[in-house]
């Protein structure tokens, strides 16, 4: 018989999981979003573990949760939204997808990306074809181009889950110059200086809301924090990179989500700029409490009650097997390997030419 795998609520760095004994009835629980099998072997019958639902189960096994998402705030099933988040690493892209999965909106996710990313091999072309919008910074920002792309998607009746990182680049404690320049800009403009986020840029957010104000249902103000990204002295360190996220055990990721009605957001750019900065001031306060709270019980969590994102394995394992099977099938034959390599080479070249003209 098939059994579900449940992540235990242990707070230890290496979380253990439990597999039900044959014939047991398992209640709905918060399942891990991804999992890997530890090759050290299976536990013996009679060993015990406690599932998140609080029910003791037999036959413990060495299955480890790679990542666990804790969401603070309730999300509607489906709606057209603008997703505004702080930006720390490339994993933030995956986090946005994970939240979209919770609302059955994964296929509707589109990103506003910095222009240089359009030359990513194959993916640059893919993002463009899927409705992604490439923008340049400062004076080179092309508002009409962004408006036209959003307008074409609205005309087609496309569901909208548009992701924007208003900071424009990643907050990385290992690159202090970026943080210092951002703080200096805030001081120059008479804005409050932020510690755990960068000063947000308003142009892309303003164009998106102005163009889609009658199309969007809401704006999601999302604050993301990666557990375990402080030193023993309490100093921030770099958030996990994509390889670390995919290949190593990641800390829990916390997401505070506030739903804001579009009608409550000022439309004039000067006032929206102030509104957006205030939203990032709030993020800064949340992250300061998350990382620096004097009370250890308040650290590594946001205010309110969080719930672990639920995702059944049947929604992820089939696509994993299909992708792995297709890739392995191609790499196992000489002809397949040639096709695979040529697809990357020629696909990248054609894609770069395409996005240079169209994107």
């Amino acid at each position: 018989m098939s059994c579900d795998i449940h992540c235990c609520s242990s707070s230890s760095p290496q979380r253990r999981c439990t597999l039900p004994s044959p014939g047991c009835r398992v209640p709905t629980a918060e399942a891990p979003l991804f999992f890997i099998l530890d090759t050290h072997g299976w536990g013996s019958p009679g060993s015990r573990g406690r599932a998140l639902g609080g029910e003791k189960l037999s036959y413990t096994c060495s299955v480890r949760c790679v990542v666990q998402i804790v969401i603070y705030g309730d999300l509607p099933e489906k709606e057209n939204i603008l997703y505004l988040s702080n930006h720390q690493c490339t994993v933030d892209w995956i986090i946005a997808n994970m939240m979209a999965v919770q609302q059955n909106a994964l296929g509707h996710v589109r990103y506003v990306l910095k222009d240089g990313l359009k030359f990513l091999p194959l993916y640059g072309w893919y993002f463009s074809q899927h409705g992604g919008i490439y923008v340049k910074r400062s004076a080179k920002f092309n508002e009409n181009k962004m408006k036209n792309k959003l307008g074409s998607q609205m005309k087609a009746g496309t569901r909208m889950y548009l992701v924007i990182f208003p900071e424009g680049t990643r907050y990385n404690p290992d690159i202090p110059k970026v943080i210092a320049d951002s703080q200096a800009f805030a001081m120059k403009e008479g804005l409050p200086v932020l510690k755990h986020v960068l000063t947000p840029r308003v142009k892309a957010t303003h164009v998106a809301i102005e163009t889609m104000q009658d199309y969007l249902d809401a704006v999601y103000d999302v604050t993301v924090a990666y557990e375990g990204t402080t030193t023993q002295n309490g100093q921030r360190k770099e958030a996990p990179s994509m390889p670390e996220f995919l290949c190593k055990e990641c800390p829990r990721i916390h997401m505070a989500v506030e739903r804001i009605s579009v009608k409550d957001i000022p439309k004039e750019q000067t006032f929206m700029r102030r509104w957006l900065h205030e939203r990032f001031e709030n993020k800064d306060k949340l992250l300061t409490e998350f990382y620096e709270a004097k009370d250890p019980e308040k650290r590594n969590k946001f205010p309110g009650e969080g719930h672990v994102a639920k995702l059944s394995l049947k929604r992820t394992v089939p696509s994993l097997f299909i992708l792995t099977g297709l890739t392995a099938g191609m790499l196992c034959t000489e002809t397949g390997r040639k096709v695979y390599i040529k697809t990357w080479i020629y696909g990248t070249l054609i894609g770069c030419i395409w996005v240079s003209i169209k994107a």
Side-chain angles (χ1 to χ4, degrees), residues 153-172:
Q153 294 180 41
M154 289 190 294
K155 187 176 180 180
T158 304
R159 293 294 303 276
M160 186 59 62
Y161 203 102
L162 185 65
V163 177
I164 298 179
F165 300 113
E167 291 160 290
T169 191
R170 288 173 287 176
Y171 176 97
N172 185 348

Side-chain angles (χ1 to χ4, degrees), residues 67-187:
V67 65
Q68 194 178 58
I69 309 295
V70 183
I71 298 178
Y72 302 76
D74 297 324
L75 302 175
E77 262 300 299
K78 278 186 181 180
E79 54 182 352
N80 291 322
I81 67 104
L82 177 62
Y83 173 112
L84 300 178
S85 175
N86 58 315
H87 190 24
Q88 302 167 77
C89 58
T90 51
V91 178
D92 293 333
W93 294 13
I94 295 180
I95 300 307
N97 284 330
M98 287 181 176
M99 199 171 95
V101 168
Q102 304 302 308
Q103 298 176 271
N104 295 314
L106 182 59
H108 308 304
V109 177
R110 289 161 180 82
Y111 298 94
V112 174
L113 308 138
K114 57 186 178 184
D115 192 64
L117 293 176
K118 67 185 181 184
F119 297 113
L120 280 174
L122 295 184
Y123 287 100
W125 174 82
Y126 165 77
F127 284 133
S128 176
Q129 293 301 101
H130 193 60
I133 301 170
Y134 293 105
V135 296
K136 294 181 180 180
R137 296 173 181 171
S138 304
K140 296 182 179 180
F141 184 90
N142 191 329
E143 292 189 16
N144 290 329
K145 196 172 184 179
M146 182 174 177
K147 287 180 179 179
N148 291 337
K149 190 140 191 179
L150 291 173
S152 65
Q153 294 180 41
M154 289 190 294
K155 187 176 180 180
T158 304
R159 293 294 303 276
M160 186 59 62
Y161 203 102
L162 185 65
V163 177
I164 298 179
F165 300 113
E167 291 160 290
T169 191
R170 288 173 287 176
Y171 176 97
N172 185 348
D174 291 342
I175 309 179
K177 185 179 184 304
V178 172
I179 299 173
D181 288 347
S182 174
Q183 293 174 340
F185 176 79
M187 292 179 64

Side-chain angles (χ1 to χ4, degrees), residues 179-237:
I179 299 173
D181 288 347
S182 174
Q183 293 174 340
F185 176 79
M187 292 179 64
K188 178 183 175 183
E189 297 296 317
L191 298 168
V193 173
L194 307 173
K195 180 179 181 181
H196 289 287
V197 292
L198 303 178
T199 304
R201 303 165 186 263
V202 73
K203 285 186 178 179
T205 302
H206 179 256
V207 170
I209 293 177
E210 181 184 52
T211 305
M212 301 189 293
Q213 56 185 306
D214 297 324
Y215 196 75
L216 295 174
D217 295 307
V219 170
Y220 289 179
D221 181 9
V222 182
T223 305
V224 178
Y226 293 87
E227 201 172 301
T229 52
T230 54
T231 65
Q232 291 182 345
N233 297 326
Q235 298 296 313
R236 287 281 303 275
K237 60 183 181 180

Side-chain angles (χ1 to χ4, degrees), residues 18-66:
T18 58
L19 183 69
S21 57
C24 70
R25 187 177 180 83
V26 182
T28 301
E30 292 83 351
L33 294 178
F34 299 99
F35 70 95
I36 54 175
L37 292 178
D38 191 338
T39 57
H40 291 117
W42 298 86
S44 58
S47 58
R48 294 287 181 179
R50 183 171 292 276
L52 280 173
E55 190 170 319
K56 288 188 177 180
L57 305 171
S58 299
Y59 294 90
T60 60
C61 61
S62 296
V63 178
R64 293 185 298 172
C65 296
V66 176

